[in-house]
Amino acid sequence: MSASGMSAPELETSDIRTQHFRKTLGRIDIILLSISAIIAIDTVAQIAAGGGAEAFTWTLVIGITFLFPYALIVAELGSTFHGEGGPFVWVRLAYGKLAAAISTMFYWITNPLWMGGSLVFIAALTWDTYISPLPSGSAGDYVFKLVFIWVAIATAIIGLQYGKYIVAAGGIVKVALLVIFVVTVAIYAAKYGVHGYAVGDFSPTLGGFLAVTPVILFAVVGFEAPNGAAEEMRDPQKDVPKAVASSGLISILCYLVPIFAILAVLPASKVQGASGLLDAFKEVFKVYGPAASSLMWIAAVLFIFVVLTQASAWMIASDRVQAAAGADGAFFRYFGKFSPRLGTPVRMNLLSGIVATVFCVAATMLLNGSTADIFTVVLIIAISTRLLSYLIIFPTVIALRRKHPEVHRPFRVPGGTVGLWICTVVIYAWVLLGSWVAVFPGTLEGLLGVDYNFHDTWGVSRTTFEVFTIATLLVIAALAIVGYLFERRRGARPTNLDVIKATASVGD
């Protein structure tokens, strides 16, 4: 076999190759799954609220200097090393099982925490505000939240051949909602004028940059998510690069344009992170006269559906990544089993549902129903875990070029080795900055002479915040290490096939 047709090396301890995967994801499916994951509709207003008019400017900057090189790197990794579990496989091949265990744990746990402590709360708030009263902490509130969580989990369990249509519908509705909003803003502006920020307010400042960078980074990541189901793609070699390009362009437009529209319509004092987008919908829907109330009800129902499918998309992707770790003995092997009938990691899906449920109930009880506080606190935890996982995942593209140059790459980051290094260093610097600001807020502001009142910003002391945040991250890392050591002590358990191939392109 020629060098251009050589396959990737094998991981000899994995059970995953004994499991059957249905080839159900075509290019359109991958694009819509990416859109469902990348466009976090719940964070659109959070970005606007956190940075004011500058948020638009910094979103544009990050879109150009982070999203573009990030897309190039994922296009190379995803089209070349397309074994089930995507990011786990990349880190496992590049740095070994322990590093993969830790990065994958941070990558996975972001999602049940985000769903159970953020997405479900904004969905409940939307229901309470625009559809029917749903007092926080009431029996109906608990029922709503639990149904939301387990419908999202059920969508991940039923199999990609069915679940992909639900997630695709969510992606289409999400883009349609944002388009309708922007068109309505234009009608509103023509009729009433705009009364948000002035043009000069969009000028970037250092304080605004530090305030919104972690949230924007968290909002725009997710290109690698479909590769969690890489062996369920029909033609990843060709489809991944094109899907990344398409979903990237759609996603950045779906952030930039609505953020600008929100900032144009709403005064600064009225932009709230947890409810700002629907507040803006309510304001601009005035142009529809008597129909505004009915249209707002429909928009609220569709918004809840979009948030639900957003959760499902990440459950579908991240549960497979963690299940791949389990199949390889980098986590408890019990969770590495895929259902022969459904083709999904049901045990891992159920674990995600349990974690999300516990987190949701605890948050509801402990925070007395303050949705804004819950949303912000959980968002910061989710940002921290997701960005920390990328500190290990992103450099794999360089390590794998060096360790396995013989593997054929259907797509390469342009510019040769220099281009690869530039792209990797740039996105790594962004993620490093975002991770630091999320875990240690206010420290860079102090060094750079930017005013920052910690207690006014977070409502707690710095010590309380750091103890809570760091303790949470240490517990998550410890869980990953315990799972790794447990399976290592038991020893490798070869199967009939005894390998996981991080499948690469084979010459035609």
Side-chain angles (χ1 to χ4, degrees):
M1 183 180 293
S2 65
S4 64
M6 293 186 70
S7 62
E10 299 173 351
L11 304 183
E12 296 180 352
T13 61
S14 181
D15 294 341
I16 208 167
R17 295 306 293 168
T18 65
Q19 308 187 55
H20 175 68
F21 297 108
R22 300 181 180 94
K23 302 291 186 181
T24 60
L25 293 180
R27 185 177 302 169
I28 298 299
D29 300 320
I30 299 170
I31 291 172
L32 291 173
L33 180 57
S34 296
I35 289 172
S36 295
I38 296 171
I39 304 174
I41 198 169
D42 57 303
T43 63
V44 170
Q46 181 71 18
I47 294 170
E54 289 181 61
F56 173 83
T57 305
W58 289 119
T59 302
L60 178 60
V61 170
I62 289 176
I64 295 171
T65 62
F66 174 79
L67 200 65
F68 179 64
Y70 164 46
L72 294 176
I73 284 173
V74 171
E76 174 170 328
L77 287 169
S79 62
T80 304
F81 301 92
H82 43 84
E84 190 79 1
F88 168 77
V89 173
W90 307 339
V91 179
R92 173 73 166 90
L93 286 171
Y95 304 124
K97 190 177 291 187
L98 178 58
I102 295 171
S103 67
T104 300
M105 175 59 67
F106 277 105
Y107 187 85
W108 162 71
I109 206 165
T110 298
N111 301 296
L113 296 184
W114 184 34
M115 177 171 68
S118 179
L119 295 182
V120 71
F121 280 86
I122 196 171
L125 176 65
T126 301
W127 185 281
D128 177 58
T129 305
Y130 297 104
I131 299 175
S132 179
L134 191 67
S136 181
S138 65
D141 181 50
Y142 279 104
V143 170
F144 177 90
K145 290 171 180 174
L146 294 179
V147 169
F148 180 98
I149 289 171
W150 288 100
V151 169
I153 295 298
T155 304
I157 288 176
I158 60 175
L160 269 180
Q161 68 270 37
Y162 308 113
K164 70 177 184 179
Y165 294 113
I166 299 173
V167 172
I172 292 169
V173 170
K174 183 186 300 186
V175 174
L177 265 180
L178 295 174
V179 170
I180 290 169
F181 171 66
V182 171
V183 170
T184 307
V185 167
I187 299 171
Y188 179 94
K191 187 172 183 179
Y192 299 110
V194 294
H195 50 274
Y197 290 88
V199 174
D201 294 331
F202 288 85
S203 300
T205 67
L206 186 58
F209 168 68
L210 294 175
V212 298
T213 292
V215 181
I216 297 173
L217 291 175
F218 177 79
V220 300
V221 295
F223 284 131
E224 73 293 327
N227 271 90
E231 293 194 42
E232 296 161 82
M233 297 177 180
R234 296 188 186 121
D235 191 359
Q237 299 97 322
K238 294 181 180 178
D239 290 344
V240 168
K242 294 179 180 179
V244 166
S246 301
S247 60
L249 179 60
I250 294 170
S251 298
I252 194 60
L253 289 175
C254 284
Y255 279 113
L256 286 171
V257 180
I259 287 172
F260 183 84
I262 289 173
L263 295 170
V265 171
L266 290 180
S269 59
K270 292 187 178 181
V271 180
Q272 300 295 323
S275 59
L277 183 59
L278 286 174
D279 290 344
F281 265 95
K282 185 177 181 180
E283 176 68 25
V284 300
F285 273 12
K286 291 177 181 178
V287 302
Y288 299 122
S293 179
S294 297
L295 290 174
M296 194 64 223
W297 188 91
I298 294 170
V301 171
L302 293 177
F303 182 85
I304 292 172
F305 173 69
V306 164
V307 172
L308 174 68
T309 56
Q310 187 172 299
S312 298
W314 276 107
M315 291 299 104
I316 288 170
S318 65
D319 284 354
R320 280 168 165 77
V321 176
Q322 188 65 30
D328 193 48
F331 187 57
F332 300 104
R333 284 188 184 272
Y334 175 83
F335 295 105
K337 177 68 175 176
F338 283 68
S339 166
R341 182 170 63 90
L342 300 172
T344 53
V346 175
R347 294 172 181 176
M348 200 66 233
N349 297 142
L350 293 176
L351 179 61
S352 288
I354 292 169
V355 171
T357 298
V358 170
F359 206 75
C360 171
V361 172
T364 302
M365 294 175 63
L366 295 176
L367 297 178
N368 299 317
S370 177
T371 300
D373 290 342
I374 294 169
F375 184 84
T376 302
V377 170
V378 176
L379 183 61
I380 290 299
I381 295 173
I383 288 170
S384 302
T385 52
R386 176 64 53 73
L387 295 184
L388 287 171
S389 75
Y390 287 128
L391 291 178
I392 304 175
I393 294 170
F394 284 164
T396 61
V397 69
I398 292 176
L400 291 173
R401 278 264 195 110
R402 186 184 70 253
K403 292 180 71 172
H404 303 293
E406 77 287 353
V407 176
H408 173 56
R409 287 161 168 79
F411 177 88
R412 283 177 174 263
V413 175
T417 302
V418 173
L420 179 68
W421 271 93
I422 290 173
C423 287
T424 306
V425 169
V426 167
I427 66 172
Y428 197 85
W430 273 115
V431 172
L432 187 62
L433 174 66
S435 301
W436 183 271
V437 173
V439 179
F440 304 107
T443 53
L444 293 181
E445 286 86 346
L447 291 174
L448 298 171
V450 177
D451 290 337
Y452 190 89
N453 188 307
F454 196 96
H455 194 277
D456 287 351
T457 302
W458 298 102
V460 297
S461 68
R462 180 184 297 277
T463 300
T464 300
F465 181 94
E466 298 298 0
V467 168
F468 175 75
T469 303
I470 295 173
T472 301
L473 297 177
L474 289 176
V475 168
I476 294 170
L479 179 59
I481 294 170
V482 167
Y484 164 78
L485 292 177
F486 179 82
E487 291 300 339
R488 183 181 179 185
R489 185 176 180 181
R490 294 178 67 191
R493 300 185 309 163
T495 65
N496 291 334
L497 293 180
D498 195 32
V499 293
I500 177 175
K501 295 181 180 179
T503 322
S505 301
V506 178
D508 294 331

